[in-house]
Amino acid sequence: MSWSKEIPANPVVAVAGATGAVGREMLLVLEQRNFPASRVKPLASARSAGTTISFKGSEILVEEMTPQSFDDVDIALFSAGGAISEKMRDDVVNAGAVMIDNSSAFRMEDGVPLVVPEVNPEAATMHSGVIANPNCSTIQMVVALSALRKAAPIKRVVVSTYQAASGAGVQGMNELYGQTGEFLAKEPLTVNKFAHQIAFNCIPQIDVFLDDGTTKEEWKMVVEPKKILDDAAIEICANCVRVPVLRCHAEMINVEFAAPISVDQAREAFATAPGVTLMDDPASLTYPMPGLLAGTDGTFVGRLRKDPTVENGLNFWCVADQLRKGAALNAVQIAELLLPS
Ligand code: A2P
């Protein structure tokens, strides 16, 4: 099935989950990029209905999300969790709106494009009403890998992530703040959102465990890049760790190529790639750091060096703001692809 309805030049845009960490960032990105919406409709649970949220200098009313919320909507940006996306999918699509979904509910479904605009923008037009926004750690990795594979084909990737609390939404960020205060005050730590203490700790588990001992987050980082890069042959080994950082994810990435590539060639590939910012100067101790890049839009790379233990190996470090390129910005960029040219 394909989608025949045209998106108007000034669409009505719903933000489903507008009071959440990603939803708030979606509103900010729509505003900052001057997205040509004729109206923006913030939707959340009944708990938030009637509150207001600032957008373009005014306060706009948050409405309760119901099946009827999408009747006058052209594009619905969703970030209210997978269960809500699944529940609302038919209502959104039957209303003639395009759902751009930040959850993992539909990412691997046939017929649902999984889009990173710097990598596979053409896929966005092949939808049947739903387009999926990839996992946050996947997005920044494929932006970087896509740049490198223009210089040499990629055989295998080993990635270890250092993922911020923002990946667990507002409650995750609040838990990091709260526990940090409790820790410094020598009080007992309140643990709710994460399985263990996150302040002054690292948790080698993100999402649930699968039967083979990996986690679902690690599985997402293996299967999603293959779909986005349209290359089922790339071997990926992912290790995902939650760290006490507020909102930028970092990744140490080891790539084995099928052909020789020098560090200088890799540096050049990054320097000229859309969406990538090269920050790589050991002499001046320059490399990207998650604590200093919150609020930025790029995918930052540094610490480039050869991996001498394999033929054609390269190591690098990659940082991006999880709430922006890892979620809200990527979703709004997808919405921009839908606008009439
Ligand atoms: P609310 O603030 O009213 O609970 P985060 O991932 O940062 O925790 O944000 C989750 C977002 O999803 C929030 O905007 C939240 O709204 C929204 N949400 C959660 N449950 C529902 C629901 N049942 N219906 C609509 N929106 C929901």
Side-chain angles (χ1 to χ4, degrees):
M1 194 172 89
S2 71
W3 195 253
S4 53
K5 190 175 169 254
E6 295 253 318
I7 297 286
N10 300 110
V12 176
V13 179
V15 177
T19 52
V22 173
R24 283 181 185 277
E25 206 66 32
M26 283 170 165
L27 289 165
L28 194 61
V29 174
L30 286 168
E31 176 174 336
Q32 290 170 336
R33 291 174 78 87
N34 214 8
F35 189 88
S38 59
R39 188 156 66 92
V40 168
K41 222 176 151 174
L43 304 172
S45 77
R47 293 179 292 276
S48 307
T51 60
T52 60
I53 207 158
S54 53
F55 183 71
K56 289 197 170 172
S58 12
E59 293 295 311
I60 51 176
L61 201 63
V62 178
E63 297 173 38
E64 179 182 357
M65 192 190 319
T66 69
Q68 290 71 44
S69 298
F70 305 96
D71 289 350
D72 56 352
V73 166
D74 299 299
I75 297 174
L77 304 177
F78 260 76
S79 189
I84 308 280
S85 296
E86 281 174 359
K87 195 168 129 201
M88 291 291 164
R89 175 189 191 156
D90 287 347
D91 298 307
V92 175
V93 174
N94 291 338
V98 178
M99 174 190 244
I100 300 174
D101 183 41
N102 195 51
S103 81
S104 61
F106 317 120
R107 287 180 190 151
M108 297 311 295
E109 190 178 304
D110 283 344
V112 173
L114 187 60
V115 179
V116 178
E118 292 85 348
V119 181
N120 61 341
E122 66 291 343
T125 55
M126 312 291 284
H127 70 87
S128 304
V130 180
I131 302 174
N133 212 32
N135 167 268
C136 42
S137 297
T138 300
I139 292 177
Q140 67 184 79
M141 181 168 78
V142 296
V143 168
L145 293 181
S146 167
L148 290 176
R149 83 168 171 171
K150 290 186 179 122
I154 294 172
K155 238 167 88 177
R156 177 169 185 259
V157 177
V158 180
V159 54
S160 298
T161 70
Y162 304 71
Q163 294 183 224
S166 57
V170 169
Q171 289 168 22
M173 297 166 86
N174 286 344
E175 190 146 313
L176 175 56
Y177 275 126
Q179 285 181 8
T180 303
E182 290 164 348
F183 186 96
L184 296 176
K186 299 191 167 39
E187 290 168 4
L189 304 191
T190 312
V191 176
N192 284 318
K193 188 70 186 173
F194 299 110
H196 301 277
Q197 162 188 344
I198 183 61
F200 304 94
N201 194 20
C202 295
I203 306 172
Q205 180 203 343
I206 299 180
D207 212 331
V208 294
F209 276 102
L210 305 178
D211 289 344
D212 64 357
T214 61
T215 61
K216 193 160 174 213
E217 185 81 353
E218 290 159 349
W219 173 81
K220 292 174 206 165
M221 287 196 79
V222 171
V223 296
E224 292 182 17
K226 294 174 195 257
K227 180 167 175 177
I228 300 162
L229 295 166
D230 193 22
D231 185 351
I234 292 184
E235 306 253 39
I236 302 172
C237 170
N239 312 283
C240 295
V241 180
R242 185 79 66 196
V243 297
V245 163
L246 209 53
R247 56 178 279 172
C248 286
H249 287 355
E251 298 175 0
M252 194 56 94
I253 303 177
N254 175 272
V255 187
E256 195 181 340
F257 295 88
I261 172 172
S262 68
V263 170
D264 282 346
Q265 282 173 311
R267 204 172 265 130
E268 177 64 15
F270 282 142
T272 54
V276 179
T277 305
L278 184 64
M279 284 180 85
D280 187 35
D281 182 25
S284 63
L285 312 186
T286 300
Y287 29 73
M289 286 180 282
L292 306 184
L293 288 168
T296 57
D297 284 348
T299 294
F300 296 83
V301 294
R303 297 290 327 278
L304 270 68
R305 72 256 189 222
K306 247 192 161 4
D307 169 10
T309 66
V310 289
E311 220 185 337
N312 310 320
L314 180 86
N315 279 316
F316 67 99
W317 171 248
C318 174
V319 176
D321 186 327
Q322 183 272 329
L323 292 177
R324 288 185 75 91
K325 186 57 194 161
L329 171 63
N330 200 73
V332 173
Q333 285 177 299
I334 294 172
E336 288 170 351
L337 293 174
L338 302 180
L339 294 170
S341 45

